[in-house]
């Protein structure tokens, strides 16, 4: 909410906080009104808020945002959540919290394990934003437990506890472990439990992990070795962003009726732990990293800058404390960003993703520190193509995914500090010298995407739109529509090869550009096109004034029908054969700021193509342009099989011809057999089949095919 942008946290400034105005550079471009639409993430397993079947989705979104705006700016570290924020916790989440808290109390009473329970990560962030959260992470504070008490050991007893306490609102608990290869090598103590709730039978996956202390990174590995007996404050400090560093401590209130009696979810107490100013950054919608408190700038510089190469880079960026133009707070924050990015370059992509999906601005210190992580052997070596693709898919799955992914690509292609380094490291391929992305053109194109695309198709289409919008005019007549499409196609191929993208993404990215450029190639106009044009009652827009113009329009329409899908009864169109999407691609590709004779010729060709596409899309059964739903009868492909006058290699062309002919004539024939097709062409179209046959064959159907129509 706009009001949250100016309110500040009541506990005041956080030590070590950088001042944005200390860095005189541009920030990440902010979101527009169009981009901010559809921001809420919806998920069947979402657990943050309670929604009534009688309440519409829009009113529930408003309720969540209103409650968050009412309470979040006034939250403080170490205080209990106020009523408006507690109302954002759903009944499902309360049941899970209560079950886990009662189980840990049982462990304390029976085994002496003193374990703190925290909700952590994205759940707490989304709670303060009033958003629906798709997952729930629980952290267990094991610092006061014996060394043999691990998360896995704690999780093992949950299933038996569930069976022994059927009144806890949980019908079943299944424990599974999901560790990456690197995590298994370094013995990361995590577990995932699947909790089935009573009543609606919902099954919710919950990740369990310890509160982690100090982390040690290998130079060539982004998975650290961790102290798994850390405190809550240590666990908060290791997080990459302040908005994800907050913890929500969950405990049960004292029971007035006696120890051991179950008082249920209503007896829970929620205390917010914010050691690094996450509340303030949620309110100001800013992405920052946690920084060490009470450390001098020289101490931080020594901890981060460890090699001669690091020192040279730090001095070139103005980060040497002895002669830096920046205040100490800015240097500390920038250096800590650099450390976090060097340790795990994947954090760069997470920051870009959250900026795109949450509409948060990135602190300028992030961009000042970016060169530390964009050197060869960092982002390009430590983060695999699969992880990069995973980030792109996560952006799409967020609400308003296509527009948010476009913002992600804009930041990668035109980063304030990274320049070509971020772009080439992310795409794992040098893109050479490309123009600044024309965001308005790209956004206009993305708006035309069909609504039923898969996640991978969306990734490919938005990638194509972003790269096409980086091919702009250079002040000469050498840049025109076809050349621009081909240049974008070459960039798409480089990116797809560099990221090793799967086939669905590759096709969605390149096929539309390829089809659009193919449509612009010169098309031969044959005598058969003139014969067909004479069978149509003209004028049709755009109005041809001569038979040659009419024949050319018929030729292009048949060509369009062969490449694109205009039949509403056909199977789901692929993106590259969707007429309206191709029209949008041509429109954006032909947007020229500088008009030259060559560009104007290309623009005229595009406009004629678009007019022909619109005609085929909107012709009804009476030949009138009325709307987007074509209604032109039906034609079965088998109807051309047994007509000897039609050369076998031209049967597919004949099907397209009859479709175009019937639409332009305003007919709605039902053609299922060869006799139906012969009757339509000979009777309704005044002997058209015989006229075409005479043109195709030299010496009749027993003769030879004329050269223009011979099989290529």
């Amino acid at each position: 909410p706009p009001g949250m942008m100016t309110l500040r946290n009541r506990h005041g400034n956080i030590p070590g906080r950088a001042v944005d105005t200390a860095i005189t550079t541009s920030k990440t471009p902010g979101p527009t009104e169009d981009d901010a639409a559809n921001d809420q993430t919806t998920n069947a397993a979402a657990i943050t808020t309670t929604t009534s079947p009688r309440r519409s989705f829009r009113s529930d979104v408003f309720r969540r945002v209103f409650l968050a705006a009412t309470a979040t700016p006034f939250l403080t570290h170490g205080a209990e959540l106020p009523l408006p924020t507690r109302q954002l916790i759903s009944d499902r989440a309360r049941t899970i919290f209560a079950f886990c808290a009662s189980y840990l109390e049982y462990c304390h009473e029976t085994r002496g394990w003193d374990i703190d329970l925290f909700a952590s990560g994205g759940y707490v962030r989304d709670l303060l934003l009033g958003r629906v959260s798709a997952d729930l992470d629980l952290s267990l504070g094991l610092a006061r437990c014996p060394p043999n008490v691990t998360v896995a050991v704690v999780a093992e007893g949950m299933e038996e506890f569930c069976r022994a306490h059927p009144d806890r609102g949980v019908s079943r608990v299944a424990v599974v472990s999901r560790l990456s290869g690197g995590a298994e090598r370094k013995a990361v103590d995590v577990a995932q439990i699947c909790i089935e709730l009573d009543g609606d039978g919902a099954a919710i996956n919950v990740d369990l992990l310890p509160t982690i202390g100090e982390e040690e990174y290998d130079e060539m590995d982004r998975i650290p070795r961790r102290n798994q007996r850390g405190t809550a404050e240590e666990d908060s400090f290791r997080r990459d962003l302040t908005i994800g560093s907050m913890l929500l401590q969950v405990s049960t209130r004292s029971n007035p009726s006696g120890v051991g009696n179950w008082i249920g979810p209503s007896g829970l107490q929620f205390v917010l732990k914010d050691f690094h100013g996450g509340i303030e950054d949620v309110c100001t919608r800013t992405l920052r990293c946690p920084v060490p408190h009470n450390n001098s700038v020289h101490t931080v510089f020594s901890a981060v800058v460890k090699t001669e190469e690091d020192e040279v880079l730090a001095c070139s960026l103005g980060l040497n404390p002895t002669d830096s133009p920046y205040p100490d707070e800015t240097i500390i924050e920038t250096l800590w960003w650099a450390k976090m990015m060097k340790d795990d370059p994947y954090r760069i992509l997470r920051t870009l993703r959250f900026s795109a999906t949450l509409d948060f601005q990135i602190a300028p210190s992030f961009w000042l520190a970016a060169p530390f992580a964009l050197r060869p052997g960092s982002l390009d070596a430590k983060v695999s193509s699969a992880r990069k693709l995973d980030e792109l898919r996560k952006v799409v799955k967020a609400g308003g995914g296509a527009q948010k992914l476009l913002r992600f690509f804009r930041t990668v292609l035109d980063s304030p500090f990274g320049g070509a380094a971020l772009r080439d490291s992310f795409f794992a391929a040098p893109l050479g010298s490309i123009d600044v992305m024309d965001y308005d053109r790209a956004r206009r194109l993305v708006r035309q995407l069909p609504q039923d695309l898969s996640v991978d198709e969306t990734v490919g289409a938005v990638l194509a739109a972003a790269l096409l919008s980086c091919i702009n005019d250079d002040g000469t007549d050498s840049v025109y529509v076809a050349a621009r499409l081909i240049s974008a196609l070459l960039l798409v191929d480089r990116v797809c090869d560099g990221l090793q993208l799967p086939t669905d993404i590759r096709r969605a990215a390149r096929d539309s550009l390829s089809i659009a450029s193919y449509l612009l190639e010169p098309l031969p106009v044959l005598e058969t096109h003139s014969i067909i044009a004479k069978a149509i009652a003209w004028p049709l827009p755009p109005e041809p004034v001569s038979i040659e113009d009419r024949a050319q329009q018929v030729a292009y329409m048949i060509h369009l029908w062969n490449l694109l899908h205009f039949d509403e009864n056909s199977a789901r169109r692929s993106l590259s054969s969707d007429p309206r999407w191709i029209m949008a691609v041509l429109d954006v590709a032909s947007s020229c700021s500088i008009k030259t004779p060559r560009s104007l010729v290309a623009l005229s060709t595009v406009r004629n193509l678009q007019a022909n596409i619109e005609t085929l899309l909107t012709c009804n059964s009476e030949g009138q342009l009325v709307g987007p739903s074509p209604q032109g009868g039906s034609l079965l492909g088998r109807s051309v099989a047994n007509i000897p006058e039609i050369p076998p290699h031209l049967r597919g062309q004949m099907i397209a011809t009859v479709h175009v002919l019937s639409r332009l004539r305003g007919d709605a024939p039902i053609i299922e057999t060869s006799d139906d097709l012969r009757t339509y062409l000979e009777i309704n179209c005044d002997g058209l089949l015989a006229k075409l046959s005479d043109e195709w064959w030299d010496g009749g159907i027993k003769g030879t095919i004329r050269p223009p129509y011979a099989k290529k």
Side-chain angles (χ1 to χ4, degrees):
M4 292 178 64
M5 298 291 289
T6 55
L7 294 170
R8 294 180 65 82
N9 191 343
R10 288 296 180 89
H11 69 272
N13 291 329
I14 303 300
R17 174 53 47 86
V19 180
D20 286 351
T21 54
I23 302 179
T24 57
T25 61
S26 61
K27 294 184 178 182
T28 303
T32 64
E33 291 182 7
D34 203 49
D35 295 332
N38 302 321
D39 186 43
Q40 296 294 326
T41 303
T42 56
N43 188 294
I47 54 179
T48 300
T49 64
T50 304
T51 58
S52 166
R54 296 183 299 273
R55 185 181 293 119
S56 70
F57 174 75
R58 287 183 178 273
S59 64
D60 188 61
V61 169
F62 176 81
R63 166 184 168 272
R64 292 196 302 267
V65 173
F66 177 78
L67 289 173
T70 301
T72 298
F74 305 102
L75 298 176
T76 58
H77 166 64
E80 188 174 354
L81 291 185
L83 177 61
T85 308
R86 294 201 306 271
Q87 289 179 327
L88 292 170
I89 302 175
S90 71
D91 293 339
R92 289 180 177 180
R94 289 176 184 271
T95 300
I96 294 173
F97 288 144
F99 172 82
C100 293
S102 65
Y103 170 66
L104 294 180
E105 282 193 350
Y106 167 80
C107 292
H108 182 60
E109 294 170 2
T110 59
R111 304 179 185 180
W113 299 347
D114 188 5
I115 303 174
D116 294 323
L117 176 64
F118 302 93
S120 59
Y123 178 84
V124 184
R125 175 201 67 224
D126 290 340
L127 184 68
L128 270 57
L129 285 169
R131 291 168 54 92
V132 175
S133 185
D135 51 24
L136 176 60
D137 294 340
L138 297 181
S139 295
L140 306 180
L142 304 177
R144 298 184 298 274
C145 295
N148 64 324
V149 180
T150 65
V151 169
V153 170
V154 173
E156 285 175 0
M158 285 188 171
E159 190 170 356
E160 181 180 349
F161 178 81
C162 175
R163 289 194 299 265
H165 298 81
D167 59 335
R168 297 303 195 256
V170 175
S171 58
R172 190 176 75 90
V173 176
V175 181
V176 293
S177 293
R178 299 186 183 277
L179 302 178
S180 68
E184 288 178 346
R185 292 195 309 272
K186 298 182 179 180
V188 177
D189 181 25
V190 299
Q192 185 179 76
I193 58 175
C194 180
I195 297 180
E196 291 186 10
L197 304 179
D198 289 341
D200 58 6
I204 297 174
N205 291 329
V206 179
D207 291 330
L208 299 177
L209 59 159
T211 51
I212 296 171
E214 186 177 357
E215 297 180 326
E216 295 180 3
Y217 285 84
D218 295 335
E219 186 173 344
M220 295 305 296
D221 196 343
R222 47 173 295 271
I223 300 176
R225 292 182 174 83
R226 295 176 167 126
N227 170 17
Q228 301 180 76
R229 287 292 191 273
T231 64
E233 185 171 2
E234 290 172 333
D235 186 80
S236 174
F237 179 56
R238 73 179 181 85
R239 307 277 176 161
D240 53 353
L241 296 170
T242 57
I243 63 169
S245 70
M246 296 175 287
L247 301 170
L248 185 64
Q249 186 168 9
V250 183
S251 59
T252 56
R253 301 179 187 274
S254 58
N255 186 357
S257 62
V259 177
N261 294 327
W262 169 245
I263 59 175
S266 61
L268 293 175
Q269 183 178 34
F270 301 97
V271 176
L272 185 63
K273 302 291 185 180
D274 178 23
F275 300 97
H276 298 284
I279 299 170
E280 182 179 358
D281 288 338
V282 166
C283 293
T284 60
R285 306 185 76 82
T286 303
L287 298 178
R288 302 180 187 274
C289 68
V291 296
H293 295 168
N294 305 319
N295 281 6
S296 70
V297 64
H298 293 281
T299 301
V300 174
F301 186 86
S302 299
V304 176
V305 180
K306 297 181 178 180
T307 66
E308 183 178 349
E309 183 184 6
D310 287 345
E311 186 172 359
V312 170
L313 180 57
C315 291
S316 69
L317 297 173
L319 298 177
N320 191 326
T322 58
D323 58 354
S324 175
Y326 306 120
D328 289 354
E329 293 85 356
T330 298
I331 298 175
I332 290 174
E333 185 173 296
T334 303
L335 289 173
W336 211 254
W337 268 122
K339 178 186 182 304
M340 298 182 71
M341 286 189 250
K342 285 198 306 177
D343 289 342
D344 185 0
Y346 180 63
R347 288 167 169 164
I348 297 177
L349 305 187
R350 280 174 47 85
T351 303
L352 299 183
R353 169 163 61 88
F354 286 128
S355 176
T357 57
L358 298 178
D359 297 336
F360 275 38
Q361 63 180 351
I362 300 175
S365 54
F366 171 90
W367 298 112
L368 186 54
F372 281 92
L374 297 178
R375 293 175 291 188
S378 186
L379 177 62
D380 55 349
K382 288 187 177 181
V383 182
S384 67
S385 297
R387 294 305 300 267
K388 294 174 184 177
L389 176 57
D390 187 49
E391 287 299 297
L392 298 180
R393 287 169 171 162
K394 286 179 180 179
V395 175
V396 173
K397 292 175 183 177
Q403 291 292 343
K404 293 182 184 297
L405 182 61
L406 183 62
R407 285 211 307 276
F408 182 96
F409 281 135
R410 177 179 59 167
T411 306
V412 171
L413 290 166
D414 301 320
S415 62
F417 267 97
L422 174 59
R423 181 187 73 201
D424 294 346
S425 294
F426 177 77
F427 291 126
L431 300 188
S433 177
I434 61 175
D435 297 315
V436 174
M437 178 179 169
D438 189 331
Y439 185 61
D440 289 337
R441 281 173 53 203
R443 189 175 54 181
R444 189 168 77 242
L445 179 55
V446 169
R447 284 198 200 107
Q448 302 301 318
L449 279 173
Q451 298 298 312
D452 57 348
L453 295 182
S454 68
V455 171
D456 281 3
E457 285 176 320
T458 302
V459 171
V462 176
L463 175 63
L467 294 177
L468 177 60
S469 300
C470 291
I471 311 296
N472 299 313
D473 299 317
D474 64 356
T476 71
D477 64 359
S478 62
V479 178
Y480 52 103
V481 183
R484 184 178 294 162
L485 289 166
I486 293 172
S487 297
L489 192 58
L490 294 175
L491 290 178
V492 166
D493 286 338
R494 288 185 200 172
V495 169
C496 290
D497 291 340
L499 289 178
Q500 303 173 25
L501 296 178
T503 302
D504 286 348
I505 295 180
R506 190 180 294 261
R507 284 177 177 169
R510 75 180 319 278
D511 286 3
S512 300
L513 300 174
S514 180
I515 291 292
S517 63
Y518 181 52
L519 287 174
L520 294 171
E521 293 182 0
L523 188 67
V525 179
L526 306 176
E527 182 61 28
T528 52
H529 298 133
S530 299
I531 294 172
I532 296 167
K534 293 174 182 177
I536 300 170
W538 300 86
L540 279 171
E543 181 178 349
V545 296
S546 66
I547 191 62
E548 290 78 12
D549 290 335
R550 297 180 186 181
Q552 185 178 54
Q553 187 173 0
V554 167
Y556 269 107
M557 286 189 174
I558 294 173
H559 185 52
L560 288 169
W561 193 280
N562 278 323
L563 290 175
L564 308 180
H565 290 169
F566 294 89
D567 187 357
E568 65 177 359
N569 297 318
S570 64
R572 177 184 177 275
R573 298 175 178 132
S574 66
L575 187 63
S576 61
S577 62
D578 186 289
R580 295 203 181 278
W581 172 247
I582 296 299
M583 282 178 63
V585 171
L586 289 168
D587 182 61
V588 168
S590 62
S591 299
C592 299
S593 60
I594 300 175
K595 304 301 181 184
T596 65
R598 183 172 293 187
S599 68
L600 290 174
V601 170
L603 183 61
S604 175
T605 302
V606 169
R607 294 295 176 261
N608 287 335
L609 278 173
Q610 290 176 324
N612 289 333
I613 291 174
E614 194 65 34
T615 297
L616 291 174
L617 280 171
T618 57
C619 256
N620 69 359
S621 58
E622 298 176 355
Q624 299 171 338
L625 305 181
V626 294
S629 297
Q631 302 172 7
S634 64
L635 171 65
L636 298 184
R638 67 189 181 194
S639 61
V640 301
N642 296 317
I643 299 181
E645 292 92 332
I646 303 175
H649 65 279
L650 295 181
R651 289 171 181 169
Q653 187 80 353
M654 191 62 192
I655 292 174
T657 298
V658 174
H659 275 297
V660 171
L661 178 68
S662 62
R663 289 193 175 219
L664 297 185
R665 284 174 52 87
D667 298 333
I670 305 299
I671 300 175
E672 298 179 348
T673 66
S674 301
D675 290 340
D676 293 336
L677 179 58
R678 184 180 294 277
T679 299
Y680 175 70
L681 294 176
E682 289 298 298
I683 305 301
N684 297 58
C685 299
D686 194 22
L688 180 60
L689 179 59
K691 296 174 184 177
L692 291 174
S693 178
D694 290 342
E695 174 61 22
W696 286 327
W697 298 96
D698 186 3
I701 60 175
K702 300 296 186 180
T704 58
I705 297 291
R706 298 183 190 276
Y709 312 104
K711 187 175 182 179
K712 301 295 189 295

